[in-house]
């Protein structure tokens, strides 16, 4: 999922996002509830009409962003009170209000409100946090209006402790959700630990329902998590990197600000057919970033999203054809071509 934080995938028109092959975009409850406000979005026809995205939209619960407002938030058993990073105004998010906001936004897939357990945390702290999330998941489910074509996902917490992940997955599947996310990862535990948790958690989730690893990741993270059974991802990496001249390509990561691209007439990624690669040279992209022209971030965001979508399509095809291992090995080997140059 490309991330459309404030009702836009930054630097991209909705048509451009569609052209990358993306089928589902993510919207952020926290940002949209503060500006322009969930009720206003509802009066304007919902998020999908508002942003000209007529496919499905997944919204997060707002929990992750609120929890990261250290010092500006107060957590209790019922919910969380926080101050807006925009104007300091006080707001309250409970499982019921989060689900209501996501319904007002018109989210196709809503997420339960949870506490993203800070890392590092002791086993006792992680257990209390996970159990709070489990109670909130139950309340989120009760608040969610079941309707045709709309889904609610639960979120497995439990930090890096296998027993706690097991308890969380068991509790959530007993409540019953349309899909299951693995939360609380990519928060500083490192890739090896993240893969360990994913490997332990995935088999505890129903095989026939989507599994979503939240906030992940680099192309290498995606390949490793797909190999361990994950279906869905969201991450700001392709869009954020695109705005800072970093390109993810079939030949590895390039920084287009680098002087070595000054007279490089080749396309950024010969294997890519996005507009940036099909019509422009590395030298031109380099020039755009050197001059701080806004077309640079636009073209590179488009390219990165195109690359991520193509990566996922390739992995899907490889799974279907039973050659995921070989395909992953080939992708990883090719990343060193560009760097070795
Ligand atoms: Zn491209």
């Amino acid at each position: 999922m490309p991330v459309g934080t404030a009702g836009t995938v930054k630097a991209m028109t909705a048509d451009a996002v569609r052209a990358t092959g993306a089928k589902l975009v993510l919207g952020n409850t926290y940002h949209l509830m503060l500006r322009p406000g969930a009720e206003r979005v509802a009066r304007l026809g919902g998020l999908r009409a508002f942003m000209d995205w007529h496919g499905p939209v997944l919204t997060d619960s707002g929990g992750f962003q609120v929890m990261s407002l250290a010092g500006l938030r107060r957590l209790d058993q019922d919910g969380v009170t926080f101050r807006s990073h925009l104007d300091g105004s006080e707001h309250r998010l409970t499982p019921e209000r989060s689900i209501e906001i996501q319904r007002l936004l018109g989210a196709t897939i809503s997420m339960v409100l949870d506490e993203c357990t800070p890392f590092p945390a002791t086993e006792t702290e992680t257990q209390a946090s996970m159990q709070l999330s489990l109670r909130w998941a139950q309340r989120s489910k009760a608040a969610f209006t079941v309707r045709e074509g709309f889904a609610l996902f639960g979120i497995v917490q439990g930090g890096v402790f296998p027993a706690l992940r097991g308890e969380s997955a068991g509790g959530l599947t007993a409540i019953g959700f349309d899909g299951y996310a693995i939360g609380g990862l990519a928060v500083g535990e490192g890739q090896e630990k993240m893969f360990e948790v994913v490997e332990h958690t995935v088999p505890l989730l129903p095989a026939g329902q989507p599994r979503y690893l939240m906030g992940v990741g680099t192309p290498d993270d995606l390949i490793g998590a797909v190999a361990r059974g994950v279906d869905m991802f969201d991450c700001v990496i392709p869009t954020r990197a695109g705005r800072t001249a970093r390109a993810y390509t079939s030949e590895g990561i390039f920084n287009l600000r680098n002087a070595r691209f000054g007279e490089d007439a080749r396309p950024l990624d010969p294997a890519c057919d996005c507009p940036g690669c099909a019509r422009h040279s590395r030298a031109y992209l380099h020039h755009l970033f050197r001059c701080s022209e806004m077309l640079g971030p636009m073209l590179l965001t488009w390219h990165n999203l195109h690359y991520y979508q193509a990566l996922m399509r390739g992995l899907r095809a490889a799974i279907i054809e039973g050659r995921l291992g070989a395909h992953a090995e080939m992708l990883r080997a090719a990343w060193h071509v560009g760097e070795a140059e």
Side-chain angles (χ1 to χ4, degrees):
M1 285 175 276
V3 175
T5 306
T8 163
V9 177
K10 289 187 202 303
M12 298 283 282
T13 64
D15 275 338
V17 177
R18 278 186 276 275
T20 66
K23 297 284 195 293
L24 177 63
V25 298
L26 180 140
N28 281 120
T29 288
Y30 170 77
H31 291 282
L32 293 165
M33 72 183 279
L34 295 180
R35 206 168 51 184
E39 278 74 9
R40 177 175 288 180
V41 173
R43 287 193 296 275
L44 292 166
L47 184 58
R48 294 163 62 239
F50 191 46
M51 66 184 284
D52 181 34
W53 180 261
H54 300 286
V57 166
L58 179 148
T59 48
D60 63 7
S61 66
F64 180 77
Q65 260 112 11
V66 170
M67 304 306 165
S68 21
L69 294 169
L72 292 172
R73 56 143 177 105
R74 206 171 56 250
L75 182 76
D76 56 64
Q77 288 300 306
D78 183 54
V80 57
T81 303
F82 62 95
R83 288 196 180 280
S84 159
H85 73 288
L86 297 169
D87 59 8
S89 58
E90 196 172 270
H91 298 263
R92 178 135 179 100
L93 210 51
T94 60
E96 293 76 15
R97 178 57 182 158
S98 172
I99 294 296
E100 183 186 19
I101 291 172
Q102 296 180 75
R103 185 182 54 75
L104 288 165
L105 295 173
T108 320
I109 302 174
S110 297
M111 303 298 300
V112 300
L113 183 67
D114 63 338
E115 185 192 13
C116 182
T117 313
F119 180 87
T122 67
E123 188 158 3
T124 311
E125 290 164 349
T126 307
Q127 181 172 33
S129 167
M130 179 274 291
Q131 285 170 345
L132 176 72
S133 289
L134 212 44
R135 291 192 294 276
W136 285 5
Q138 179 80 65
R139 284 168 54 189
S140 298
K141 170 82 187 258
F144 180 77
T145 309
V146 176
R147 55 232 198 268
E148 186 64 31
F150 294 84
L152 177 67
F153 282 17
I155 306 174
V156 179
Q157 291 289 349
V160 295
F161 305 101
L164 299 183
R165 288 279 171 184
E167 191 182 331
S168 178
L172 291 170
T173 49
I175 298 168
F177 290 96
D178 302 302
Y180 295 87
I182 303 173
L185 292 177
V187 290
E189 76 283 354
Q191 192 196 58
E192 195 182 335
K193 201 77 202 164
M194 175 176 82
F195 283 163
E196 248 181 69
V197 174
V198 168
E199 203 163 317
H200 170 77
T201 307
V202 164
L204 308 174
L205 301 171
Q209 285 167 283
R211 301 154 182 158
Y212 162 28
L213 182 55
M214 302 181 83
V216 174
T218 65
D220 191 50
D221 291 337
L222 265 52
I223 293 172
V226 164
R228 290 167 175 83
V230 175
D231 305 300
M232 298 169 60
F233 303 89
D234 76 283
C235 193
V236 296
I237 285 179
T239 40
R240 182 174 288 165
R243 297 196 297 282
T244 58
R246 278 166 65 83
Y248 286 87
T249 79
S250 62
E251 296 180 352
I253 301 167
F254 292 155
N255 185 340
L256 268 301
R257 284 190 190 278
N258 196 308
R260 74 179 166 119
F261 297 117
E263 290 198 26
D264 193 334
R266 292 173 295 173
L268 169 60
D269 187 346
C272 179
D273 58 359
C274 83
C277 294
R279 298 185 205 151
H280 300 294
S281 62
R282 293 174 182 179
Y284 182 61
L285 295 169
H286 168 77
H287 162 74
L288 292 175
F289 277 98
R290 287 289 296 267
C291 299
S292 302
E293 283 291 340
M294 64 174 86
L295 186 58
M298 289 165 68
L299 287 172
L300 222 51
T301 300
W302 193 324
H303 165 78
N304 282 343
L305 287 177
H306 190 104
Y307 174 77
Y308 265 64
Q309 292 297 326
L311 176 72
M312 293 302 288
R313 279 195 298 274
L315 293 173
R316 197 178 303 134
I319 290 171
I320 292 167
E321 291 160 21
R323 51 175 180 83
L324 181 62
H327 184 68
E329 219 166 282
M330 183 202 74
L331 289 172
R332 289 196 178 108
W335 286 337
H336 300 292
V337 174
E339 286 148 28
E341 236 174 40

